[in-house]
Amino acid sequence: MVNHLRPHAYLTAPLALLVILLFGHYGLFLGHNFLVDSDVLNVFNQLSGNMASMGWRPDLGLGLSHFYADPGSGHIWSLWRWWYQLFNNQILAHNTSVLILLWAMSLTHYLLLKKIFPEFNPLTVIFLSSLIIFGSLRYEFFFSVFSASATIAAPIAALIILDHLKKPSAKQYFLYSLTLFFTLFLGSSMALIYVLIFSGIFFLGYIFYHRSTLGGKEIWRKFIRYITLQLLSGITVVFLGAW
């Protein structure tokens, strides 16, 4: 007999994490915002300034071209520019983007914890995964949107690499390419470097943990799989960002 999962089985965790997120940031409904740190304010001014610019920023120093800038955090044609242009109120644009990123962050960590600890009660996993969005680092890193992408992408990268090492498929290539694309173009080049470093450490940890059951040939085979995934996905991200 086929076991059909009911829709609420997929919606419980995302909705619960969203409720926790909104409850923990209720001040936004009272007129508060996420501009609570000098770094966050600098990011906000950079993004809102790019929205009104055609590439040359006369308001920065003696003038600065943003055609030669970080693909995600500084380039004049970054995806964040178009996001900000969807709103008449730029503070609302920033608040909304931070909320979405924090929610995605807690959701990806929920998926990772659920994979690692399947025996845990779902409610326990929900509360554990929500802790990251209330950490002290959020004021400097998460509220500035660029660093948040690495925290979102790292759990996804771990799950994709884990599946790829067990049984590679084309699906993992597309998912990993999308993950790297998101990290770079909705984050920054440094966020992408962090995720790539994390993926390398994760791969080495996987090999070390299974060293007693893997032979030399199997370790080499998995190493080739890992390098191939990184190389093909990296090339794909370069072409996707050619605009």
Side-chain angles (χ1 to χ4, degrees), residues 43-57 59-60 66 73-91 93-94:
V43 168
F44 174 79
N45 290 332
Q46 178 172 301
L47 292 175
S48 58
N50 275 355
M51 188 190 68
S53 170
M54 294 302 293
W56 182 257
R57 292 290 301 274
D59 57 315
L60 299 177
H66 271 206
S73 61
H75 200 281
I76 192 64
W77 289 340
S78 73
L79 296 177
W80 285 115
R81 175 202 175 110
W82 312 120
W83 171 259
Y84 267 59
Q85 288 189 316
L86 294 176
F87 296 82
N88 293 324
N89 186 325
Q90 301 311 308
I91 294 181
H94 188 79

Side-chain angles (χ1 to χ4, degrees), residues 70-74 78-80 101 108 144-158 160 174-199 230 233 237 240 243:
D70 191 287
S73 61
S78 73
L79 296 177
W80 285 115
L101 291 173
T108 57
S144 62
V145 305
F146 299 145
S147 300
S149 65
T151 312
I152 296 171
I156 300 176
I160 294 173
F174 288 109
L175 291 176
Y176 195 70
S177 298
L178 183 61
T179 301
L180 296 185
F181 177 87
F182 163 81
T183 307
L184 178 60
F185 292 101
L186 283 180
S188 65
S189 56
M190 284 306 303
L192 178 63
I193 292 173
Y194 293 151
V195 172
L196 293 177
I197 293 175
F198 169 80
S199 68
Q230 299 293 335
S233 295
V237 170
L240 288 176
W243 88 84

Side-chain angles (χ1 to χ4, degrees), residues 194-210:
Y194 293 151
V195 172
L196 293 177
I197 293 175
F198 169 80
S199 68
I201 295 174
F202 181 84
F203 171 75
L204 294 176
Y206 175 89
I207 295 299
F208 180 80
Y209 183 80
H210 295 282

Side-chain angles (χ1 to χ4, degrees), residues 83-123:
W83 171 259
Y84 267 59
Q85 288 189 316
L86 294 176
F87 296 82
N88 293 324
N89 186 325
Q90 301 311 308
I91 294 181
L92 176 61
H94 188 79
N95 287 345
T96 305
S97 63
V98 173
L99 279 176
I100 294 174
L101 291 173
L102 291 177
W103 177 70
M105 191 183 304
S106 62
L107 185 57
T108 57
H109 281 73
Y110 169 84
L111 296 175
L112 181 62
L113 290 173
K114 193 68 176 174
K115 178 74 173 183
I116 298 174
F117 306 107
E119 71 278 6
F120 277 19
N121 185 287
L123 186 61

